[in-house]
């Protein structure tokens, strides 16, 4: 691979309102490559194919990338020396290049109607020829053209495609060829004056001085049409690298139907952006070592095109869960609390007391794998309304309503007698009581746990009681006794 002095790469998402994980991965690799070689990473909005693209739909894509800490040096939001960075604002440039191609005889107006083209296609297929455009409008005389223009006939601009084989060396997949004799002259400017994707892209890549194009494999076949434009204009193409597919564990292509595919969805599901970035980095790139946890700086350091994988990547959400747990445990309590906060608020809990939230979060750092689990785990510390049914207290075996009532009544008594409300005092009171009553400590503690939380699985009990405070703990045990009919 050649790395010029000035590396310039780009991502060119369509403004769809959502940032797809595939877009995010491609953006990430481009950014890592730019950082690695001290180059620039450009974000361009490919909005020509969308009839109604809005600033909001563009913002949705950018927001997903920003959340992942993927930053670009030039783009519609930050500007740059090659502005504008939205294709809709570059229409004039595309038409100028098309004019130039026509002036030099490499493109021409085509007036064929859809019906004519369809008839031509059918005739070609019937005769066993490739169904390509015949090129007949290239042979129109000036008089015929003038007559058609005067009649107001719709016209497109077609590129003259030489009947040769085009090839390039893909940075990921090696040498690629296509015989363009089968392709025929293709449209570069539609009848409404807008450019086709493969034309606008080349004009932008060239004028923005893009040196390397890393993109989804879906674009591999587009590369040949693009090369035809580069050749016609006498421009040197960038180097291309087409990334591998992302597949579900059953090897189907990831799709909205099969699970989450948008960055916003992963965010709502309680994943950390740094975990998702680390996971995406390893989907299609292999550092060649056992190291799995990479900070963004470490990714820049380790990333290389040579280690981009050549086989499709399996998108295994269980692996993402694992990364998320690792990253959650690496956060400070204050940081984790601030990330948990919106999820608590969304679940309706008042978590305005930061110190209390941090104390609660410190109880679950070891067991939480997704931020969405927090409301379930610590919500009881931020509400007065605990829902409990009397059935909740009845364990397997000998714990019936009478036993539950007795355990709770005596626990309340023992706790009420405490002068100091601390982990040690609370623990020794309840353990002492279990001994006296000849209960297994775990069984007694479970009764208290259910009374104060409404759940059987919770953060550590003694810390929870301390955090709730004496009055509230006693109130909840009293409430549980009421439920049990004391
Ligand atoms: Zn024609």
């Amino acid at each position: 691979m050649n790395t010029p002095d000035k590396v310039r790469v780009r991502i060119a998402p369509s403004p769809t309102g959502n940032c797809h994980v595939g877009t995010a991965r491609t953006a990430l690799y481009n950014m890592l490559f730019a950082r690695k070689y001290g180059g620039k990473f450009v974000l361009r909005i490919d909005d020509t194919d969308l009839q109604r693209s809005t600033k909001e739909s563009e913002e949705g894509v950018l927001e997903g990338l920003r959340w992942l800490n993927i930053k670009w040096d030039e783009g519609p939001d930050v500007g740059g020396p090659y502005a504008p960075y939205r294709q809709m604002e570059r229409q004039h440039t595309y038409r100028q290049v098309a004019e130039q191609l026509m002036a030099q005889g490499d493109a021409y107006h085509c007036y064929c109607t859809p019906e004519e083209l369809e008839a031509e296609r059918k005739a070609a297929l019937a005769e066993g020829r490739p169904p390509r455009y015949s090129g007949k409008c290239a042979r129109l005389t000036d008089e015929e053209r003038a007559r058609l223009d005067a009649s107001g006939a719709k016209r497109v601009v077609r590129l003259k495609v030489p009947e040769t084989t085009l090839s390039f060396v893909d940075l990921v997949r090696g040498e690629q060829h296509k015989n363009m004799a089968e392709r025929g002259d293709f449209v570069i400017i539609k009848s409404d004056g807008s450019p086709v994707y493969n034309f606008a892209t080349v004009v932008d890549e060239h004028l923005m001085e893009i040196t390397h194009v890393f993109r989804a494999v879906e674009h591999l076949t587009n590369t040949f049409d693009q090369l035809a434009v580069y050749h016609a204009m006498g421009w040197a193409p960038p180097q291309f690298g087409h990334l591998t597919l992302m597949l579900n564990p059953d090897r189907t292509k990831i799709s909205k139907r099969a699970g989450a595919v948008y960055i916003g969805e992963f965010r709502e599901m309680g994943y950390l952006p740094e975990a998702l970035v680390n996971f995406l980095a390893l989907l299609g790139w292999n550092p060649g070592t056992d190291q799995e946890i990479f900070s963004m700086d470490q990714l820049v350091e380790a990333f290389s095109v040579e280690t981009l994988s050549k086989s499709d990547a399996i998108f295994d959400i269980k692996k993402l869960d694992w990364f998320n747990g690792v990253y959650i445990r690496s956060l400070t309590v204050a940081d984790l609390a601030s990330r948990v906060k919106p999820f608590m608020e969304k679940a309706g809990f008042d978590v305005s007391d930061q110190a209390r939230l941090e104390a609660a979060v410190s109880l679950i750092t070891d067991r939480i794998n997704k931020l969405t689990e927090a409301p379930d785990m610590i919500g009881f510390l931020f509400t007065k309304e605990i829902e409990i049914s009397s059935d909740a207290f009845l364990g397997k075996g000998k714990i019936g309503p009478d036993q539950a009532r007795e355990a709770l009544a005596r626990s309340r008594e023992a706790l009420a007698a405490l002068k100091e409300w601390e982990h040690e005092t609370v623990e020794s009171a309840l353990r002492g009581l279990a001994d006296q009553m000849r209960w297994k400590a775990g069984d007694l503690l479970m009764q208290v746990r259910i009374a104060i939380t409404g759940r059987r699985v919770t953060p550590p009990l003694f810390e929870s009681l301390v955090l709730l405070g004496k009055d509230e703990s006693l109130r909840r045990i009293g409430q549980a006794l009421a439920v049990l009919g004391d």
Side-chain angles (χ1 to χ4, degrees), residues 20-91:
H20 193 277
V21 277
T23 305
R25 184 186 66 160
T26 304
L28 175 64
Y29 287 175
N30 277 289
M31 184 188 75
L32 295 176
F33 185 77
R35 298 279 174 276
K36 175 108 188 173
Y37 294 103
K40 296 285 188 223
F41 174 41
V42 177
L43 186 141
R44 186 177 71 230
I45 296 293
D46 274 6
D47 52 0
T48 48
D49 273 350
L50 292 181
Q51 303 230 308
R52 281 186 307 270
S53 72
T54 61
K55 285 281 161 59
E56 290 74 44
S57 57
E58 174 186 309
E59 189 50 35
V61 179
L62 303 195
E63 177 55 31
L65 295 175
R66 284 192 202 109
W67 181 71
L68 290 172
N69 200 23
I70 292 173
K71 292 176 183 147
W72 43 98
D73 304 297
E74 300 168 24
D77 56 335
V78 293
Y82 298 80
Y85 293 95
R86 287 187 195 94
Q87 288 195 326
M88 284 304 276
E89 296 168 15
R90 303 174 62 79
Q91 300 283 319

Side-chain angles (χ1 to χ4, degrees), residues 367-387:
R367 56 182 78 186
I368 183 171
N369 282 316
K370 280 186 260 181
L371 301 176
T372 38
E373 294 164 359
D376 234 23
M377 288 179 169
I378 54 171
F380 73 93
L381 294 166
F382 299 89
T383 179
K384 298 253 175 209
E385 289 147 34
I386 298 295
E387 272 183 39

